[in-house]
Amino acid sequence: GVLDELGGIPKSQQHLVLDPDAASLERAFEKFGARLQKERASVRRTELLVYYSGHSDEQGLLLKGGQRLAYKSLRPRLKTLPADVRVVILDSCSSGAMTRGKGGKRVPAFLKDSAVQVRGQAILTSSSATEAAQESDRLGGSFFTHAFIAGLRGAADVNGNRRVTLNEAYQ
């Protein structure tokens, strides 16, 4: 709902995968890839947002049926999706391990700008590689998701321009 209401991503462009196993997650990636490839011809920039809220450990996402999607497999799989901008948000234990892959290089910040020239991938995680993500019965979910949604609703709008950048939301 927040993606539609605040993010400008209509429900018709969202795909919810509940309690996925490896096969259903791969089918979702194939669907995303096909949709992105089709849209590349008619739009200036394609964007993909993947939001995972679930279980994981230092090795990867823990899926239905005791299956695991290793970070070392997930990172290159996401890069195969034909999006100019990929934003990956992981709300799970030890999700910071996703960002520890080798091969990255420092480039000028692109998260502060909404220009159409932006290209690349951003990964936000709710925890470090060795940290447990926290949930609250009172909130009915995770502290990270609660804070992230509050940020998107305006609490993160540091400069008061009524737009929340990814950088502001993360801070």
Side-chain angles (χ1 to χ4, degrees):
V2 171
L3 295 175
D4 185 17
E5 176 189 341
L6 300 174
I9 305 171
K11 292 210 185 288
S12 64
Q13 293 183 2
Q14 297 178 30
H15 185 75
L16 178 63
V17 182
L18 295 174
D19 199 18
D21 58 14
S24 62
L25 203 51
E26 179 56 32
R27 283 191 301 275
F29 286 145
E30 288 173 4
K31 182 178 180 175
F32 297 151
R35 175 180 270 163
L36 288 164
Q37 191 63 42
K38 183 179 177 184
E39 290 184 11
R40 285 186 84 90
S42 62
V43 297
R44 291 172 59 176
R45 179 177 69 181
T46 55
E47 301 170 349
L48 174 68
L49 171 67
V50 175
Y51 195 100
Y52 175 80
S53 180
H55 298 286
S56 64
D57 62 15
E58 296 86 358
Q59 302 301 311
L61 307 181
L62 301 177
L63 306 175
K64 185 177 182 179
Q67 297 177 342
R68 173 184 283 128
L69 176 56
Y71 296 130
K72 66 181 181 180
S73 299
L74 178 58
R75 278 190 303 269
R77 180 61 178 108
L78 290 167
K79 287 190 176 192
T80 68
L81 297 171
D84 297 311
V85 175
R86 285 178 299 281
V87 176
V88 180
I89 303 170
L90 302 178
D91 185 3
S92 58
C93 294
S94 302
S95 54
M98 170 74 171
T99 66
R100 298 187 59 102
K102 294 182 179 180
K105 63 180 182 177
R106 194 168 186 90
V107 297
F110 69 89
L111 300 178
K112 295 181 181 181
D113 189 348
S114 62
V116 295
Q117 294 85 6
V118 172
R119 302 281 187 267
Q121 177 168 289
I123 301 171
L124 284 75
T125 65
S126 64
S127 60
S128 72
T130 59
E131 182 180 32
Q134 300 295 311
E135 293 184 340
S136 165
D137 291 336
R138 186 168 157 235
L139 294 175
S142 80
F143 288 105
F144 177 85
T145 293
H146 178 77
F148 193 72
I149 290 172
L152 293 176
R153 292 192 182 279
D157 184 12
V158 175
N159 62 9
N161 69 351
R162 302 183 52 80
R163 295 177 59 108
V164 176
T165 66
L166 186 55
N167 200 37
E168 286 174 322
Y170 185 71
Q171 293 298 320

